[in-house]
Amino acid sequence: MTTMIPLWGVEADQEVFGERLRDARVIQRLKSSGVAEKAHLTPDRYSRLENSLSTKVNQKRIAALADAVDFPIDFLTSPPVTPVQRGSLLFRAKKGMTRGEEDQLVAWARLIGDLLHRAEEDVRLPYVKVPRVSPSTSPADAARISRSAFGLADDEPIPHLVRLLERSGVHVASVDFSAELHAKYHDAFSTWVGYAMDRPLVVTRSSSSWERTRLSVAHELGHLVMHQTRREGDLEAEAYTFASEFLLPRGALQEGWPRQVTLVSLMPLKRKWGMSLASLIEHGYRNGLVESTQRTNLYKQMSNRRDRETGERWRVREPGWNDRDPERPKLIAKVAEAAFGPNVTTQGISAEIYGWRSDLIGKLLEGQLTDWSRAVTATHINERMGSVSRLRL
C-alpha cells in the first residue's frame, strides 16, 4: 500500500476525500478559484485536493476547507459511497447544459444515493421491475416490454405515472431548484445508484405543469430501460418515442385517433391518456396519422390561440393545464421515515447520511408528498443555498 504523504508537510491526521469536496462545491455552483482563495490555498493546490481520491491534512486546514464550502467537516472526511459519474447521467434537457451544471446534478444524485444507501441498512427497498433491453430493441418495443413488466395492458391508461414507477422500484425526486443556482436547462435526469448500480433514480425539476412532469418522467424511464450502457445514437429522440409509446401504445392511439384532427378533437385523448397536445401531435406524426403540413398547421394554431384564464398562448400553457395536479413522489420520504424515524429532523438526517447539509435535505423532502415530509419541512426556513436551515423541535 502506498503511504499517504501530507500535502503541506505539517500535522496530518485526517483524510479529506476529493469527491466530497467537489460535491460540496459544485452543488452550490461555487467557483473553485473562489473556494481556494477563501481556504487560503493556491488554485493548483485546491485542484489537487479535489482531484485526488483522498488527502491527509491537519485539522486547521480541514476547518478552513469546510468553511470555504460551507459544509460540515464530517462530510468532507466521510468516504464516498455512491459511485455516480457525469457520463452515467441521462437528461431531458437542452443542449446548452454546461459541464458545471452536469456536475451539480451528479452531486444531487449522490445525495439521494447516499440517503438510500444508509436507509437500506434498516429498510428493505422495493423490488426493481424496470427491464433492461438489448441495444437493438426499438423504442416502441422497449415501451411495450416495460408496460408488460409493470403489469399494464395495452389499452390501459396510467392515472399516476410517478406512483406506478415507485411501486416498481424507481426512486423519484422532485426538487424546486432556484434558477440562479441550478442548471437552468434541466428538466429531468436519470441514473442508477447503489453499490451494484441497481437502484434506478429519476430527478425532475419541480413544475406546475402536469403534462410536462409526466413526459419528463416517462422520458427518463426510457433512458433507464434503453441506455444504461449504450451512448451512441440519438438517445433523446429514442427516449421521446419511448415516452409516447409507454403513455399511449400505438394500437390505442390508432383506435382513438379522431377522423378530423383538430386541437379540440385531440382533447379527449389528452384527458384520457395524460399527454400534452404537443406530445399527441408528435406521436400521431411518428405513426403516420398526421401529415407534415397538418402537423405544422396544428402548431401554428397552438401558437396563435391563448388561454382565456391566463392569456398565455397554448404553446406555453395548453388547455386542460389545471385538469390535474402535477404528480409528486413519495417513496424517498417513506424510505427516510422508516429508516430514520417519525420524529427525525433534517439535521438528524444530515448526521445519518454523512453530513449532507440539512437545507439540501429539506429541498429534497419538500418535493415528497407525505404527511411525514410535510411535518419535517413545515418549519424549514426558506433560505439561500449557502445557509443552514433550522427546525422547531
Side-chain angles (χ1 to χ4, degrees), residues 254-268:
Q254 294 171 337
E255 183 177 345
W257 197 255
R259 291 189 178 184
Q260 297 295 326
V261 183
T262 66
L263 297 178
V264 173
S265 67
L266 288 175
M267 285 298 295

Side-chain angles (χ1 to χ4, degrees), residues 112-290:
I112 299 167
D114 282 3
L115 186 152
L116 297 176
H117 171 81
R118 170 60 188 85
E120 199 166 8
E121 296 177 10
D122 302 301
V123 178
R124 179 175 293 181
L125 300 181
Y127 175 75
V128 177
K129 298 180 182 178
V130 177
R132 306 186 196 188
V133 301
S134 68
S136 61
T137 305
S138 71
D141 285 342
R144 284 191 285 273
I145 292 170
S146 299
R147 286 183 69 94
S148 177
F150 295 155
L152 294 169
D154 287 346
D155 60 351
E156 183 180 357
I158 304 173
H160 201 297
L161 176 61
V162 168
R163 205 67 70 241
L164 172 70
L165 265 59
E166 290 183 318
R167 290 196 299 268
S168 303
V170 181
H171 291 85
V172 182
S174 175
V175 182
D176 185 14
F177 297 113
S178 57
E180 70 273 12
L181 288 174
H182 193 68
K184 60 184 178 181
Y185 295 122
H186 161 65
D187 272 332
F189 74 88
S190 56
T191 189
W192 293 79
V193 296
Y195 270 143
M197 307 296 286
D198 58 347
R199 294 291 169 190
L201 171 66
V202 171
V203 181
T204 68
R205 180 194 290 274
S206 180
S207 172
S208 60
S209 169
W210 64 264
E211 309 107 309
R212 192 180 190 93
T213 298
R214 281 173 62 89
L215 181 62
S216 293
V217 172
H219 179 102
E220 294 308 320
L221 176 63
H223 282 316
L224 291 171
V225 171
M226 298 185 293
H227 303 142
Q228 186 182 13
T229 57
R230 181 166 64 86
R231 292 294 183 269
E232 72 280 358
D234 193 344
L235 306 188
E236 288 300 283
E238 291 177 10
Y240 277 119
T241 301
F242 174 97
S244 296
E245 189 70 26
F246 184 77
L247 291 171
L248 173 50
R250 182 181 306 169
L253 174 74
Q254 294 171 337
E255 183 177 345
W257 197 255
R259 291 189 178 184
Q260 297 295 326
V261 183
T262 66
L263 297 178
V264 173
S265 67
L266 288 175
M267 285 298 295
L269 279 177
K270 170 174 179 166
R271 294 191 179 98
K272 179 177 180 179
W273 294 93
M275 294 178 65
S276 68
L277 291 175
S279 295
L280 287 170
I281 293 169
E282 289 303 301
H283 200 16
Y285 177 69
R286 282 192 294 266
N287 285 282
L289 301 174
V290 175

